[in-house]
Amino acid sequence: MNIKSKTQKIIKALVLVFALALFGSCEVDKDIKDGIPAVAQIKQLRQGNKKITYGLTEYYQVIIDADIVTKDGKTWPVTFKEMAQMIDIPKIQPGQNVAVKYDPKDSTNICFDRSPERAKELLNQ
């Protein structure tokens, strides 16, 4: 490997570190480690002000107004932000149900539940 190639790799790595520090690595793959599964009943969807590109994949920030419904029937309104691919936006329109997780210490901290098995289980109840 020549010097130019090594330098380019170092520059790419530094740009990635800077981008993660600036935008936060949790934006696209946001997760709540001990999150409790629930369903978000989408009421309204608005465009946010961020767009992130990873390779060829573009993610757009969406602001979601929803009612969160737990397995035991508790419900509360919430507004949360998520990053979504363009292809996923039709799945999160008003009237749709989406699998989410919420923080048991802060029920307004919501993220999409990206576990396909749990999402299928929750949405089929």
Side-chain angles (χ1 to χ4, degrees):
M1 188 180 298
N2 63 32
I3 297 291
K4 184 177 180 182
S5 171
K6 286 181 182 179
T7 304
Q8 288 174 338
K9 285 188 177 194
I10 291 170
I11 290 172
K12 286 180 182 179
L14 290 173
V15 168
L16 178 61
V17 168
F18 176 74
L20 291 176
L22 183 63
F23 295 112
S25 62
C26 66
E27 287 288 334
V28 171
D29 295 323
K30 180 179 175 183
D31 190 26
I32 299 170
K33 185 178 177 185
D34 297 319
I36 298 173
V39 173
Q41 296 174 339
I42 308 297
K43 300 297 178 194
Q44 184 178 18
L45 180 79
R46 298 183 304 281
Q47 180 178 338
N49 61 359
K50 288 185 183 177
K51 174 184 162 187
I52 297 175
T53 302
Y54 284 122
L56 297 175
T57 307
E58 294 180 332
Y59 294 87
Y60 298 88
Q61 184 183 57
V62 291
I63 303 167
I64 302 167
D65 295 325
D67 289 331
I68 304 301
V69 181
T70 64
K71 282 185 177 183
D72 61 0
K74 292 181 190 169
T75 304
W76 65 93
V78 69
T79 298
F80 65 104
K81 296 177 182 178
E82 270 286 354
M83 298 301 290
Q85 292 182 35
M86 180 72 75
I87 197 165
D88 291 330
I89 291 177
K91 300 174 192 171
I92 52 176
Q93 293 298 309
Q96 299 291 323
N97 291 333
V98 178
V100 295
K101 292 195 289 187
Y102 69 93
D103 185 338
K105 297 175 186 163
D106 177 6
S107 62
T108 63
N109 184 10
I110 308 289
C111 72
F112 289 149
D113 190 340
R114 288 178 163 77
S115 162
E117 299 81 26
R118 193 165 0 179
K120 189 179 287 187
E121 171 192 331
L122 283 171
L123 295 175
N124 289 330
Q125 290 182 1

